[in-house]
Amino acid sequence: MPDINHHLNEKLLLGYATGSLPEAFNLVIATHVSLCDECRAQVESYEALGGEVLQKCGTVDVSKDALSATLAKIDAGRDVEMPVPISNGVFPTPLHGYVNGDLDAVHWRKIGGGVSQAILKTSRTATVRLLRIPAGTELPDHGHRGTEMTLVLKGAFCDEHDRFARGDIEIADEDVQHTPIAEEGEDCICLAASDAPLRFTGLLPRIMQPFARI
Amino acid sequence: MTETADWTGHIRRIQNSKDQEAFAELFNHFAPRVKAFLMKSGTTESMAEECTQDALATLWRKAHMFDPSRASVSTWIFTIARNRRIDVLRKERRPEPEDLAWGPEAEPEQEDVMSLQQETNQLGRAMAELPQKQRELIEKAYFGDLTHSQIAAQTGLPLGTIKSRIRLALERLRHSMK
């Protein structure tokens, strides 16, 4: 377990537990929670609340043959579902499912300034991508519309306020304007989700933006 | 019957001996609740019926993955129903965290199971004592009636105690996996 200093906020944890977030956000949250027992315990306590809601939300009669129909489904289906093995790679298990492998399976595309990205396929209500920022490289200065989450998987980045390393998640909203820099030593790999396009302040990044889908 | 421990026994019986009688009792209690939950979450009656059967079939198939030191049976069924709803209504995958499945070598302590049950019952009572408006808001959040920006993070419920309980269970599990 990495030593995590930057966690999810209550709103996102509750949204994940209730199932109201877009798939792209769910992926980043599930990946962070795989690395962070503090947030895992928080998610599971919100799920406990969901269990209480389920207990007390009343009843609606199921069809007369529902039980036998369900037993038939059990007979027809797979015997048991086995847990997915715990990942020993850079990517926790939930991310494996979207990349079809670990870090070496990613199809990177350069987006300028030495930075590469890989957009992962999710529903369109929000977007999620992997970013590879060369050590010591500054990301374009950018503000945000909507909510953006950036989870560090390898290496680290710093901005004016903080340092983010493996497992740390940065939650940025509209009033955050910052200049993250990847730490010297190794490339920084991040998983970033956004429910709105980023807004770059430099001219070149702004021209690039529509093409790079960031 | 609302005692969590009793339902936990049902899951064990399903896991150990594919006990159809235990399954039938569990089904009779939970299926009408899952169906009500799904209909309040915006599914049609026929879709809710179908999803309820799917959810309970999943419970059978995943019985061996249930960890009673971390979740009550109703909590676990809630997560299965929620994921089925996302699958059917939004046609989306639901990424779940890496599973900390416990094998026979990491059987949860009975004491942990009891404690979690107590915390869960306390949470249920605390929810019942909330002012009606606040309780309805929480229910709406779980039925998916609120977008994530509409959800106020504070539930007003003492989640800290159950969180520390789950945290302890996770630490023991991590320790046993080493």
Side-chain angles (χ1 to χ4, degrees):
Chain A
M1 286 262 104
D3 187 16
I4 292 168
N5 297 307
H6 300 277
H7 298 270
L8 288 160
N9 63 32
E10 301 263 319
K11 203 166 97 172
L12 289 166
L13 289 160
L14 179 61
Y16 180 71
T18 60
S20 62
L21 298 179
E23 184 184 358
F25 282 19
N26 287 341
L27 177 60
V28 180
I29 293 170
T31 306
H32 172 79
V33 167
S34 297
L35 298 168
C36 177
D37 279 354
E38 185 63 29
C39 289
R40 191 190 286 261
Q42 187 75 17
V43 166
E44 290 182 11
S45 59
Y46 279 128
E47 288 175 344
L49 192 51
E52 292 308 300
V53 170
L54 176 74
Q55 276 284 358
K56 295 185 177 74
C57 73
T59 58
V60 172
D61 286 343
V62 289
S63 66
K64 279 197 176 63
D65 64 347
L67 176 59
S68 54
T70 304
L71 288 168
K73 282 186 189 204
I74 291 165
D75 281 342
R78 285 159 295 172
D79 190 21
V80 290
E81 284 188 32
M82 293 313 289
V84 184
I86 291 167
S87 158
N88 293 314
V90 175
F91 296 163
T93 330
L95 191 49
H96 269 239
Y98 283 81
V99 177
N100 290 321
D102 206 61
L103 186 54
D104 53 7
V106 180
H107 299 290
W108 296 106
R109 290 183 63 178
K110 291 197 164 60
I111 56 167
V115 178
S116 303
Q117 73 169 9
I119 296 170
L120 306 180
K121 199 171 181 313
T122 60
S123 67
R124 300 173 76 93
T125 39
T127 56
V128 60
R129 65 210 161 111
L130 282 159
L131 284 171
R132 187 178 64 198
I133 307 130
T137 303
E138 191 175 297
L139 253 83
D141 185 23
H142 64 284
H144 304 263
R145 277 173 289 173
T147 302
E148 196 200 36
M149 291 187 284
T150 309
L151 170 66
V152 179
L153 295 165
K154 194 172 188 290
F157 73 79
C158 300
D159 64 11
E160 292 86 339
H161 318 285
D162 275 309
R163 176 177 187 269
F164 297 81
R166 178 167 167 86
D168 283 326
I169 191 161
E170 187 205 39
I171 318 276
D173 51 29
E174 306 194 358
D175 47 5
V176 173
Q177 179 83 21
H178 66 160
T179 316
I181 299 171
E183 246 176 34
E184 294 294 344
E186 65 174 326
D187 291 358
C188 181
I189 310 284
C190 298
L191 180 68
S194 167
D195 58 2
L198 300 187
R199 192 173 53 203
F200 288 104
T201 45
L203 178 63
L204 189 62
R206 219 184 303 148
I207 294 168
M208 286 292 293
Q209 192 168 353
F211 305 105
R213 273 187 69 194
I214 54 177
Chain B
M1 182 162 55
T2 53
E3 288 295 302
T4 321
D6 293 333
W7 293 123
T8 297
H10 282 67
I11 304 282
R12 282 292 148 271
R13 282 159 63 193
I14 294 167
Q15 182 199 351
N16 293 335
S17 52
K18 300 195 188 302
D19 187 332
Q20 292 208 358
E21 196 186 320
F23 184 74
E25 284 174 23
L26 206 115
F27 188 96
N28 289 337
H29 179 79
F30 281 105
R33 286 172 170 77
V34 171
K35 189 170 176 181
F37 173 81
L38 290 169
M39 286 177 70
K40 288 185 175 175
S41 306
T43 55
T44 61
E45 205 264 335
S46 62
M47 200 187 266
E49 173 79 28
E50 187 73 22
C51 287
T52 298
Q53 294 178 16
D54 290 342
L56 272 294
T58 301
L59 175 142
W60 176 285
R61 284 197 285 270
K62 289 191 170 177
H64 60 294
M65 287 158 73
F66 173 63
D67 179 351
S69 70
R70 272 165 58 204
S72 72
V73 174
S74 58
T75 297
W76 189 47
I77 294 177
F78 158 73
T79 63
I80 295 172
R82 172 201 63 198
N83 292 0
R84 194 75 198 115
R85 181 187 76 202
I86 291 172
D87 191 9
V88 166
L89 277 187
R90 299 215 306 239
K91 312 260 184 288
E92 278 181 14
R93 285 160 82 180
R94 162 79 185 187
E96 285 289 326
E98 208 157 74
D99 209 350
L100 304 180
W102 48 281
E105 67 283 355
E107 191 76 26
E109 302 273 341
Q110 200 50 38
E111 188 193 324
D112 287 348
V113 177
M114 297 289 288
S115 304
L116 183 91
Q117 185 196 336
Q118 279 171 12
E119 306 288 0
T120 308
N121 291 342
Q122 274 167 22
L123 183 62
R125 279 198 296 276
M127 198 166 91
E129 284 163 10
L130 282 181
Q132 193 187 348
K133 245 187 163 163
Q134 198 179 346
R135 199 173 59 238
E136 281 173 5
L137 203 66
I138 291 172
E139 285 168 355
K140 270 190 166 179
Y142 282 86
F143 297 148
D145 282 352
L146 302 177
T147 65
H148 70 273
S149 53
Q150 286 172 316
I151 290 178
Q154 292 300 323
T155 59
L157 285 164
L159 283 169
T161 47
I162 196 156
K163 186 185 155 188
S164 349
R165 179 61 50 197
I166 294 166
R167 185 75 224 241
L168 271 174
L170 287 171
E171 276 165 21
R172 289 205 184 159
L173 196 56
R174 293 270 184 210
H175 189 71
S176 72
M177 290 194 304
K178 274 179 190 156

